[in-house]
Amino acid sequence: MALGLLALLLLLLLAQASRLIRVQARALGFPSGFPGRKGEGRLEVELFAPLPVLYRLRTHPSAPLGLEPQEALGLAWGRLRLNLPLPYGYRRRGEHPLGLSLRLESLFGTGARTLDLEAGRALVFPPLRPLTPHRNTPSFFLEGTVRPTGLPDPLETRGLRPYRPGDPLRLLAPKASLRLGIPVVREVERTLLGSLFVHLDTQGLHPAYLDHAASLAAWLLLQAEKRGERFGLSASEVLPPGRGRAHLRRALALLARLEPTPIPALPPLPPPGSTYILLSQCAETVLLRALLEGMARARKGVLILLPEGYFLFPGEKGRPAFGKTPGLERVLALKDHLAAHRVELRVVRGHQTPLL
């Protein structure tokens, strides 16, 4: 009798073995990158099954990441580690989940259970396609390249000249002095660099608007970084002005995570003396009012309007856009008022390439 009860209990446990399993999953080898990046990541899944259970693991396909579904099946008992290679080819901007489905059932085919898990996320930056560079208006303030050794003021090296009494010793160029046989110093000059602050309105009527606006903003920030200028970004959150590749990477990550909003995303006040660029499709009145308020601090303002929500990249062809959208009519009616506040209007229709 006791053996019969024990056997019955064992059968019941085996039938419900799928309820006792523990699962951990993580994706590795999916670095942030631009569309077109290819490589191979992997999916690590760890199963702990106190009783034998049949499993069927299937990864979710992902068109934005170029992922094909992968599958593994077998018997799990005790601790089991699975590694699945996942070749990828990034295609579209965004933060995309890496998901999988795990189907579990007992040896008798009972107690079936399906788990949907997320093993991680992959971040794809906006596509960078060459566009006309935009030259920022010089700031009110003296700026220059920041060097590790530091100088009394932000200065840039212009050349070398012989040492004269009274020159600061930190300006000495040791290698050049040894090569020439006489002490020489770095000659410096004060320069005026422009700083850039970009605000991207996340309200759009066309599904391609955010992708095109994010790509345009990324190109503007990249050009500012190449010139050594300070740049900041406002897009769902505010990234204060800064310099360097790490700062640019943070800006690209912010642009990659952009999601549309039903109402305008109002811009913050720009840094003093900066070139203030605002990207929008709808150009609602509250957005224009906030732009004009910010012009009390900015050196120059530029409103880039994408009435259709998209534009042509170099090499693409499209049909001319006719008519006027409500946003375009709104800004054309206020064009003189915007110009009086030092705001330049740039309208980029759907069949045009941005000329900045």
Side-chain angles (χ1 to χ4, degrees):
M1 184 69 176
L3 290 176
L5 291 175
L6 184 59
L8 180 60
L9 179 60
L10 181 58
L11 289 175
L12 290 175
L13 287 175
L14 288 174
Q16 298 297 319
S18 63
R19 304 288 175 181
L20 306 176
I21 197 168
R22 295 202 301 269
V23 186
Q24 288 185 343
R26 62 173 181 168
L28 302 173
F30 289 88
S32 304
F34 294 97
R37 179 168 186 164
K38 296 182 178 180
E40 183 175 279
R42 73 178 190 274
L43 178 67
E44 291 186 353
V45 180
E46 184 174 348
L47 307 176
F48 178 73
L51 295 172
V53 63
L54 298 173
Y55 70 86
R56 181 175 182 177
L57 175 66
R58 187 175 186 272
T59 63
H60 295 168
S62 175
L65 299 177
L67 292 179
E68 299 289 340
Q70 306 289 331
E71 190 172 84
L73 63 160
L75 174 68
W77 191 3
R79 192 177 300 276
L80 176 66
R81 290 185 176 89
L82 300 173
N83 279 276
L84 290 180
L86 295 179
Y88 64 81
Y90 294 163
R91 296 177 181 172
R92 186 170 180 180
R93 177 195 70 87
E95 188 175 28
H96 307 289
L98 299 160
L100 65 144
S101 297
L102 182 63
R103 179 178 174 82
L104 305 165
E105 60 183 28
S106 70
L107 297 176
F108 308 113
T110 59
R113 180 186 178 200
T114 301
L115 301 176
D116 288 320
L117 306 172
E118 184 177 304
R121 289 176 173 265
L123 193 65
V124 183
F125 298 144
L128 280 181
R129 304 191 190 179
L131 297 171
T132 306
H134 177 268
R135 193 70 181 179
N136 300 323
T137 302
S139 169
F140 289 115
F141 310 104
L142 289 170
E143 298 188 54
T145 304
V146 179
R147 303 183 182 278
T149 55
L151 293 173
D153 291 311
L155 304 170
E156 289 185 335
T157 301
R158 183 175 59 186
L160 298 173
R161 61 170 175 80
Y163 172 81
R164 292 195 293 262
D167 287 336
L169 294 180
R170 59 178 172 271
L171 296 182
L172 278 172
K175 293 183 179 179
S177 299
L178 290 174
R179 185 175 67 253
L180 298 175
I182 59 172
V184 294
V185 296
R186 296 185 297 270
E187 191 172 17
V188 296
E189 63 179 355
R190 300 171 186 266
T191 60
L192 284 173
L193 288 181
S195 62
L196 178 68
F197 190 78
V198 177
H199 173 76
L200 196 154
D201 179 20
T202 50
Q203 182 194 29
L205 304 177
H206 193 279
Y209 163 69
L210 271 189
D211 290 336
H212 281 71
S215 184
L216 179 54
W219 179 255
L220 291 169
L221 299 180
L222 176 65
Q223 296 301 308
E225 192 275 332
K226 285 185 176 180
R227 293 190 295 266
E229 299 171 348
R230 290 170 55 84
F231 57 90
L233 175 66
S234 168
S236 73
E237 61 181 89
V238 179
L239 182 66
R243 284 190 180 94
R245 303 292 291 183
H247 186 68
L248 177 63
R249 190 176 185 85
R250 288 190 290 270
L252 292 175
L254 182 58
L255 292 172
R257 295 189 176 98
L258 279 184
E259 295 290 341
T261 56
I263 59 175
L266 299 184
L269 293 176
S274 61
T275 298
Y276 187 21
I277 295 183
L278 190 146
L279 297 168
S280 179
Q281 179 187 2
C282 303
E284 298 287 354
T285 303
V286 290
L287 190 74
L288 298 177
R289 186 180 297 117
L291 170 63
L292 296 179
E293 291 176 359
M295 289 309 299
R297 294 162 56 101
R299 181 71 182 272
K300 180 183 178 180
V302 181
L303 172 60
I304 302 179
L305 185 69
L306 310 176
E308 284 75 38
Y310 58 91
F311 53 83
L312 296 182
F313 287 102
E316 295 180 340
K317 295 183 179 180
R319 297 180 178 179
F322 299 101
K324 296 179 182 178
T325 64
L328 180 55
E329 291 183 341
R330 189 178 300 115
V331 296
L332 289 179
L334 297 173
K335 184 176 181 180
D336 293 339
H337 188 62
L338 293 173
H341 286 78
R342 308 185 314 282
V343 177
E344 184 178 347
L345 176 62
R346 306 279 181 87
V347 178
V348 184
R349 304 300 300 264
H351 65 288
Q352 297 174 333
T353 300
L355 298 176
L356 306 178

